[in-house]
Amino acid sequence: MSAYAGTARQNLPTVLLLALLSLVILALVVAPLFAILYRAFVDVQDGTLHLTDRHIVEVLTTDIYWHAFGNTLLVSCGAAVIATVLGTFFAWVFVRTNTVGRAVLEQISQLPIFIPPFVGAVAWVLLAAPRVGILNRMLMELSIPGGLDVYTHGGMLSVIGLYLAPYVMMIVAGSLRSMDPSLEEAAQVAGLTKMQTALRITGPVLAPAILSGAVLAFTIAIGLFGTPVVLGWSRQILLLTSRIWISAQEVPPDYGVMAVLSIYLLLLSSIAALIQRALLKDRNYVTITGKGFRPRLVELGGWGWLSLAIAIFYVFFTIVAPIAVLIAAALSQYTWSADFSFDNFVQAISSDDVWFTMQNSVIISIVSATIATVLGICISWIAIRTRLPGRHVLEHLILLPISIPGIAFGVGVMLVWIGAPVTVYGTAIIIVFAFVGRFTAYAVRSISSSLVQVHPELEESARIIGYGPLLTFARITLPLILPSILAGWLLLFSFFMTELSMVVILYTAASRTFSVLSFEVWNVGDFSKLASYSLLQMAIGVLFMTLLKLFFGSKTS
């Protein structure tokens, strides 16, 4: 009895921590998802609640919502196809071929992930808008017929696909590095050509990674807000996320329609995940065994220069050209005035409004990233280092928002807190809650992958010499998983500094962030000021990351 009481007393802090984390996840993850379903089917009239199908009927019988649904499907599917083709091609070139400079190009090709999608869209407006786009002006100067038009379905899906390609590339590259090349060697010994080997052996083995990348690209694309609005607004090519934002601007806001449109996005991401599972069901993709191997590079010969040219072309049009055109626009008095000065930068730096919103962005991002990282440490530790019942349910719930579009999750958070007795809606706290609820999953993924590599014997040895659980974690476990913790914090900070789709639903004048300020400047059409703000936002993000890397050294890599 005394032994049982001692064990219970020893586990009590862990049980209390599990209970506390469960309450936090219920409030920040489960409640927003439930609120979306609840608000779609429940109306409030004269202080009473009653079931209704009014919002569903309105969305199903109104043409503008069907157009938005069709546009979302077309643009997101097209962007996912482009991202998957480019990402798979670059992964193969960088990992399995002898292309010159492939290691450096692989690192550079990942940089578009850190360029805010909204900023990338603005840059492409300056590059390829009809008449004013610099590429179109160059084509006219050279008397070359035709031209680029970024304000079309094709323009939208191309820009989104270009910036989603690195996500697919990283997933497929990881799978390629783990693939046993003896499978391809055996196929070629059997008489298959390199092309036949790629189609019959390499492609099918990589199918899980390629499908995962495609589904991830599709899920990100359907949840984007800034890029579709910037590129589609002038010709009213509106997506579901644009319609949610328009409903939020109505007086009073149409919460029922916003909830139904959010359910559309949830269904689209769920259907994509189900299709992925169905395609991979009952197939065996095991290629990693106890046998060691060293991947052999494919000799491309003269084709290597073509693959190098394509990679450089991609880097130029996703990083170099957009940043260069933003710098040129920011230095212009107005867009392409040929009158260059630093006035826009000086005005941005000397503006109290700019510094106020930048301060909001930095504080909200630091606080949110820190809370999400602490939650990620606690959840990972409970899921991996304890045997408490319910620990895996906790982990599954916190990972759930990864597949949910940001603007849909933001609508759910708004619906939870807008009528709450405590004042959260209208403050920066609701933005922190939304960030933590949706993005803690990334911290859990990063920290869990590192924690499973630390053998429990190290912690057991510390306890034998008298360390308690907290001291063991602080002196043994924490130093070993610190690189993953810092990497996760940096990733979250970069997400939060550029997040627009959730914030645009939740902000007020007192909690406005820098992404929202840039969006407001875009609304009035001042591209020179917008370019200077975009560069300032990127510079602040790079500065913080550089300081963190300098402070912690190689632990952040």
Side-chain angles (χ1 to χ4, degrees), residues 179-211:
M179 180 181 165
D180 189 346
S182 63
L183 298 171
E184 296 165 317
E185 293 166 6
Q188 293 187 15
V189 169
L192 270 64
T193 65
K194 289 182 180 178
M195 181 59 71
Q196 289 173 326
T197 301
L199 294 176
R200 295 187 185 183
I201 305 296
T202 311
V205 170
L206 292 178
I210 295 173
L211 277 173

Side-chain angles (χ1 to χ4, degrees), residues 184-421:
E184 296 165 317
E185 293 166 6
Q188 293 187 15
V189 169
L192 270 64
T193 65
K194 289 182 180 178
M195 181 59 71
Q196 289 173 326
T197 301
L199 294 176
R200 295 187 185 183
I201 305 296
T202 311
V205 170
L206 292 178
I210 295 173
L211 277 173
S212 295
V215 170
L216 176 64
F218 177 78
T219 303
I220 294 174
I222 63 173
L224 282 177
F225 169 71
T227 306
V229 167
V230 169
L231 301 181
W233 189 263
S234 64
R235 294 185 186 161
Q236 290 296 286
I237 303 175
L238 302 180
L239 276 56
L240 288 173
T241 51
S242 310
R243 284 292 169 197
I244 291 175
W245 176 70
I246 292 171
S247 296
Q249 304 307 305
E250 294 180 5
V251 181
D254 197 339
Y255 297 126
V257 168
M258 293 168 67
V260 174
L261 296 178
S262 299
I263 291 174
Y264 271 23
L265 296 177
L266 294 176
L267 287 175
L268 285 175
S269 62
S270 301
I271 290 171
L274 289 175
I275 292 174
Q276 178 192 5
R277 290 179 188 174
L279 291 174
L280 300 180
K281 189 179 179 183
D282 299 330
R283 296 188 182 186
N284 186 4
Y285 294 95
V286 175
T287 62
I288 302 176
T289 64
K291 180 182 176 183
F293 62 84
R294 182 179 181 182
R296 192 180 67 178
L297 298 181
V298 177
E299 301 288 337
L300 291 180
W303 292 102
W305 295 109
L306 178 61
S307 63
L308 175 65
I310 294 174
I312 292 175
F313 190 77
Y314 174 78
V315 168
F316 179 80
F317 278 103
T318 54
I319 302 172
V320 179
I323 292 178
V325 80
L326 283 175
I327 293 173
L331 293 174
S332 301
Q333 288 293 325
Y334 55 89
T335 311
W336 310 138
S337 63
D339 183 12
F340 298 108
S341 73
F342 288 96
D343 288 353
N344 287 315
F345 287 111
V346 173
Q347 288 175 13
I349 294 172
S350 59
S351 167
D352 291 338
D353 194 31
V354 169
W355 282 113
F356 173 74
T357 52
M358 182 59 75
Q359 180 181 308
N360 271 348
S361 290
V362 171
I363 292 174
I364 289 173
S365 299
I366 290 176
V367 171
S368 302
T370 304
I371 294 175
T373 302
V374 171
L375 283 177
I377 293 171
C378 295
I379 293 169
S380 300
W381 187 81
I382 281 185
I384 294 172
R385 287 293 192 259
T386 74
R387 296 290 180 268
L388 293 176
R391 65 189 186 282
H392 291 308
V393 175
L394 195 73
E395 189 179 18
H396 289 316
L397 285 176
I398 201 65
L399 294 177
L400 193 60
I402 280 183
S403 60
I404 297 174
I407 198 165
F409 194 81
V411 170
V413 172
M414 180 195 67
L415 295 173
V416 167
W417 295 103
I418 197 166

Side-chain angles (χ1 to χ4, degrees), residues 431-516:
I431 299 176
V432 173
F433 283 176
F435 283 173
V436 172
R438 181 155 190 268
F439 288 100
T440 297
Y442 292 87
V444 171
R445 282 279 173 88
S446 173
I447 296 167
S448 293
S449 62
S450 181
L451 191 57
V452 295
Q453 294 177 321
V454 180
H455 200 290
E457 284 181 353
L458 297 171
E459 296 159 342
E460 292 165 3
S461 301
R463 291 182 183 177
I464 289 173
I465 62 174
Y467 282 14
L470 285 178
L471 193 58
T472 299
F473 181 81
R475 300 289 294 272
I476 305 297
T477 312
L478 183 61
L480 293 173
I481 64 173
L482 187 58
S484 293
I485 293 174
L486 293 174
W489 191 95
L490 267 176
L491 182 66
L492 292 173
F493 178 79
S494 64
F495 281 164
F496 299 156
M497 281 293 290
T498 59
E499 173 63 29
L500 177 63
S501 58
M502 282 198 294
V503 181
V504 79
I505 296 292
L506 302 172
Y507 85 99
T508 60
S511 59
R512 185 175 59 175
T513 64
F514 206 78
S515 296
V516 175

